[in-house]
Amino acid sequence: MILIVWITMSMASYGQRRDTLFTEYRIDEFLFHEKPAKVVFPNREPNGEWIWRARFWGHEPQTDKALLDKGFHLVYIDVADLFGNQEAVQLWNDFYTYCRDKYTLKKKVVLEGMSRGGLIVYNWAAQNTDKVACIYADAPVCDIKSWPGGLYTSKGSMEAWKTCLDAYGLDDKSVLTFKGIPLCTSTKVAEANIPVLHVYGDSDQVVPYEENTGKLKDLFEAAGGTIQIISKKGVGHHPHSLKDPKPIVDFILENSPHEK
């Protein structure tokens, strides 16, 4: 009851800033633990299945809308500046419980991680393997030393790098041996036999394949996991997704739960 009252108050403080990207759907918008959150409802009878977007709300929404039209809910909470750290994982734990209870959603959720969204998707999934149906990651950051660190070939981001190090309580030395990144945490996902799909642009210089998805793929398969890869020829970091999202949607539908 306390949680419900707190969220109701937060919704009032969030004001009238309404989403303009999913106007054809009903949307709940509110603050959850002081973070902007959204839940989009399907126009047809909901089936209890849901997809959880981790980053770039509304960017290339064709996969999200295709799943909404199949009865999925779409959920989001903004933890971008936490870079997938343990605080972000705990926020996701709380939001997961809230969404399941309030919207009667199934135990297993589809995770969608674009760019830095890959950090929270893998770090949360590694600690909640029994709650994940599958993962769709799009040009995901798999190693903070690549982006935002820029310690290899990525141009990185100095401002984001400082925020990232602060979020984890790291410095330029301790980050070099830090294991709380998808390259390491994804092995738990592989061991749990969670299906994974990565989509990437082969000209991405922001989150280069070789430093991120390429390394994760090798480690993931070595841990016994199965990962599908879709490469976009001549495409950089943006745009994410595919013009025709059918391969992504088919992957998700094939690996969606069929029970509560």
Side-chain angles (χ1 to χ4, degrees), residues 6-41 57-58 74-78 95 98-99 102-103:
W6 187 92
I7 289 173
T8 302
M9 292 173 64
S10 295
M11 286 177 68
S13 66
Y14 196 41
Q16 300 300 313
R17 292 173 289 169
R18 304 303 299 169
D19 192 285
T20 60
L21 297 168
F22 292 88
T23 55
E24 65 269 46
Y25 304 94
R26 173 191 160 195
I27 305 175
D28 279 358
E29 294 187 69
F30 51 94
L31 292 180
F32 184 86
H33 294 355
E34 301 183 354
K35 301 292 185 182
K38 303 173 188 283
V39 176
V40 185
F41 296 77
W57 175 257
L74 168 65
V75 310
Y76 171 81
I77 183 169
D78 186 0
F95 193 57
Y98 172 76
C99 287
K102 183 172 179 62
Y103 302 106

Side-chain angles (χ1 to χ4, degrees), residues 169-220:
L170 298 170
D171 57 31
D172 291 338
K173 183 177 180 180
S174 59
V175 72
L176 299 178
T177 55
F178 181 60
K179 302 298 184 183
I181 56 176
L183 290 187
C184 301
T185 60
S186 65
T187 58
K188 295 291 186 184
V189 177
E191 291 166 358
N193 296 314
I194 295 171
V196 169
L197 169 67
H198 278 212
V199 176
Y200 77 97
D202 68 359
S203 297
D204 191 342
Q205 297 179 20
V206 179
V207 183
Y209 172 85
E210 294 78 12
E211 300 170 12
N212 293 275
T213 289
K215 285 185 177 180
L216 184 142
K217 179 179 183 293
D218 292 342
L219 294 167
F220 199 83

Side-chain angles (χ1 to χ4, degrees), residues 22 50-65 67 73-77 92 109-122 124 132 134-138 140 197 240-242 245 248-249 251-252:
F22 292 88
W50 49 314
I51 181 168
W52 192 340
R53 180 180 275 238
R55 182 63 174 140
F56 291 115
W57 175 257
H59 173 68
E60 299 292 332
Q62 51 267 40
T63 295
D64 297 337
K65 289 188 174 184
L67 293 172
H73 282 72
L74 168 65
V75 310
Y76 171 81
I77 183 169
W92 267 41
V109 58
V110 176
L111 302 181
E112 177 183 19
M114 292 185 175
S115 195
R116 78 173 73 175
L119 297 171
I120 181 59
V121 160
Y122 273 107
W124 187 80
V132 182
C134 61
I135 291 174
Y136 154 49
D138 203 299
L197 169 67
H240 293 296
S241 191
L242 302 171
I248 302 170
V249 174
F251 167 81
I252 291 170

Side-chain angles (χ1 to χ4, degrees), residues 85-121:
N85 68 2
Q86 193 57 39
E87 180 184 351
V89 170
Q90 186 57 54
L91 278 166
W92 267 41
N93 288 341
D94 294 345
F95 193 57
Y96 170 90
T97 299
Y98 172 76
C99 287
R100 281 206 71 205
D101 290 347
K102 183 172 179 62
Y103 302 106
T104 317
L105 302 176
K106 292 182 179 179
K107 178 179 180 180
K108 291 192 174 184
V109 58
V110 176
L111 302 181
E112 177 183 19
M114 292 185 175
S115 195
R116 78 173 73 175
L119 297 171
I120 181 59
V121 160

